């Protein structure tokens, strides 16, 4: 069974640009969550999608947005990039999303802002 | 709000040593608890989980017991190997699908 697939693995952008990251969950998983990992702040929750609807949201500015498609694939968009957006962005999926269901992570997209 | 606190790293041990990484949490009610491991250049892999008090999660020789009375979920392994070198994250989830992570503990095992 294929795991969670994130593309691209690496991305370099400049300040002010926008970027779109993609996540394909494990087949049959309908909940997709996004996390930002930085050395200073650690792992922080961005948002979670289920059945094409954003179900939960973390404390990030509106420049961070996402969506989920009918096949459960998800995209995350960051507009007007800032230097502080440099991070590893991780996507995780689970069946329907419940407290007892573990989330399975992809290898992440490493975003560098110049 | 919910939070997780892990012991400060880095931790360096010799092969075959006993490992303990402390983790305590703050939450109302009964969260589910997890340990994740991150190898260099990779995402997080679920190591083990426990969903209710007194549950013991175990995998690959690692164990952790959900202790409600001490709000703890310490990770232990009786004999570590070089291949266990990684960063370990304790995490909880309660209600909404939002994992709350500890700051991570970097573990290095020397041969």
């Amino acid at each position: 069974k294929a795991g969670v697939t994130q593309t691209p693995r690496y991305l370099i952008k400049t300040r002010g640009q926008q970027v779109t990251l993609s996540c394909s969950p494990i087949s049959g998983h309908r909940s997709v969550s996004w996390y930002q990992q930085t050395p200073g702040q650690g792992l922080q929750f961005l948002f979670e999608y289920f059945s094409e609807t954003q179900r939960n949201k973390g404390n990030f500015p509106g420049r961070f947005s996402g969506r989920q498609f009918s096949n459960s694939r998800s995209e995350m968009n960051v507009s007007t990039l800032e230097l502080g957006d440099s991070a590893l962005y991780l996507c995780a999926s689970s069946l329907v999303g419940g407290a007892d269901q573990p989330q399975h992570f992809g290898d992440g997209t490493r975003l560098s802002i110049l | 709000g919910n939070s997780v606190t892990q012991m400060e790293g880095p931790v360096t041990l010799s092969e075959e040593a006993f490992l303990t990484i402390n983790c305590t949490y703050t939450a109302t009610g009964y969260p589910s608890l997890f340990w994740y491991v991150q190898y260099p250049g990779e995402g997080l892999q679920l190591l083990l989980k426990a969903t209710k008090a007194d549950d013991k999660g175990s995998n690959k020789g690692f164990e952790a017991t959900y202790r409600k009375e001490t709000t703890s979920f310490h990770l232990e392994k009786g004999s570590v190997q070089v291949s266990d070198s990684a960063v370990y994250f304790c995490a909880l989830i309660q209600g909404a699908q939002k994992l709350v992570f500890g700051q991570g503990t970097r573990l290095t095992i020397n041969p």
Side-chain angles (χ1 to χ4, degrees):
Chain A
K1 197 173 190 182
V4 177
T5 303
Q6 291 189 247
T7 56
R9 285 297 309 275
Y10 303 93
L11 210 46
I12 298 175
K13 293 285 186 179
T14 56
R15 281 181 297 171
Q17 288 186 310
Q18 67 126 24
V19 67
T20 299
L21 312 182
S22 179
C23 172
S24 293
I26 291 172
S27 178
H29 284 194
R30 294 166 59 193
S31 169
V32 175
S33 299
W34 289 88
Y35 295 84
Q36 182 196 63
Q37 185 177 21
T38 60
Q41 300 298 316
L43 281 152
Q44 296 188 87
F45 173 78
L46 281 154
F47 28 65
E48 184 237 353
Y49 286 86
F50 178 77
S51 291
E52 302 178 64
T53 300
Q54 186 181 88
R55 192 160 62 171
N56 294 291
K57 189 176 188 303
N59 297 323
F60 279 80
R63 299 186 296 108
F64 292 81
S65 63
R67 59 178 176 168
Q68 186 180 35
F69 301 95
S70 58
N71 61 358
S72 294
R73 189 177 71 85
S74 177
E75 288 182 347
M76 190 190 92
N77 186 273
V78 188
S79 62
T80 319
L81 286 165
E82 300 177 359
L83 292 177
D85 298 333
S86 294
L88 180 66
Y89 290 89
L90 293 166
C91 167
S93 74
S94 64
L95 277 170
V96 294
D100 61 339
Q101 291 181 12
Q103 295 184 19
H104 299 270
F105 285 80
D107 286 339
T109 293
R110 184 163 295 282
L111 175 62
S112 299
I113 312 302
L114 304 180
Chain B
N2 297 339
S3 66
V4 175
T5 302
Q6 289 180 235
M7 66 184 286
E8 289 282 334
V11 174
T12 302
L13 296 172
S14 298
E15 208 165 19
E16 299 183 4
F18 185 86
L19 168 71
T20 299
I21 300 178
N22 291 337
C23 170
T24 57
Y25 67 89
T26 301
T28 55
Y30 304 93
S32 294
L33 302 174
F34 305 87
W35 277 100
Y36 282 87
V37 58
Q38 186 175 35
Y39 298 100
E42 298 183 11
L44 277 68
Q45 297 179 26
L46 177 67
L47 185 57
L48 51 85
K49 69 170 185 174
T51 58
K52 60 182 188 296
D54 299 325
D55 265 1
K56 177 186 281 188
S58 61
N59 185 27
K60 299 180 182 179
F62 290 89
E63 292 183 342
T65 301
Y66 189 139
R67 301 285 188 201
K68 182 176 180 298
E69 62 276 13
T70 55
T71 63
S72 65
F73 192 55
H74 304 322
L75 182 68
E76 296 181 336
K77 186 175 185 182
S79 176
V80 293
Q81 306 300 314
V82 172
S83 57
D84 294 326
S85 298
V87 181
Y88 291 80
F89 292 91
C90 183
L92 68 80
I93 195 167
Q94 185 175 30
Q97 273 295 285
K98 172 188 171 181
L99 277 165
V100 176
F101 289 92
Q103 67 268 41
T105 302
R106 181 174 300 277
L107 173 66
T108 301
I109 307 299
N110 294 321

